[in-house]
Amino acid sequence: MWIAQVILAALFVLVAVPKLFGDPTAVASFHSMGVGDWFRYLTGACEVAGGLSLLVPRLCGPGSIALVGLMACATVANLFFIPGMAAAAFATVLLGAILALVAWGRWPHTVAFYRMARSLIKR
């Protein structure tokens, strides 16, 4: 499981770099959706945060769940909002499925994180 998480973490950090550093293709993709640069930066930051969370035992469960949500949003964007990117939806669905398997395998981490967060909120 850890090997898959390390590979996924590297992948998410690598795909975030063009978004964060203003690669012209990334800029054009986000502008074609009608959103500004703020959304490109937000997406890149979420990808980096999610990728890094896969490397932290306490965060790998919740992080993988968050990345499943991100992949669901990316699938919708690829299918309906970015012209010519429908084929890329296959990759986002596949990544989402792999992340769902990680989330399932790391469910005890997710439960422990939830309990810890809940106890902090009750204070």
Side-chain angles (χ1 to χ4, degrees):
M1 186 76 71
W2 281 108
I3 293 170
Q5 288 173 232
V6 169
I7 292 169
L8 287 166
L11 178 70
F12 275 98
V13 170
L14 285 174
V15 299
V17 167
K19 292 175 185 86
L20 295 173
F21 289 101
D23 178 70
T25 305
V27 171
S29 291
F30 280 84
H31 283 258
S32 72
M33 287 190 291
V35 295
D37 287 332
W38 69 271
F39 194 70
R40 177 174 50 87
Y41 289 122
L42 176 66
T43 302
C46 288
E47 289 171 342
V48 169
L52 293 178
S53 75
L54 294 174
L55 302 176
V56 180
R58 209 173 248 192
L59 299 176
C60 61
S64 60
I65 292 170
L67 286 170
V68 167
L70 186 66
M71 289 300 94
C73 293
T75 300
V76 170
N78 286 332
L79 288 174
F80 302 111
F81 296 108
I82 307 173
M85 289 297 289
F90 175 76
T92 56
V93 168
L94 180 61
L95 279 171
I98 294 168
L99 287 161
L101 289 173
V102 171
W104 178 64
R106 299 300 186 197
W107 188 249
H109 294 279
T110 304
V111 171
F113 181 82
Y114 170 76
R115 288 184 179 144
M116 186 240 350
R118 191 169 174 205
S119 70
L120 290 174
I121 292 171
K122 284 185 176 182
R123 288 185 182 178

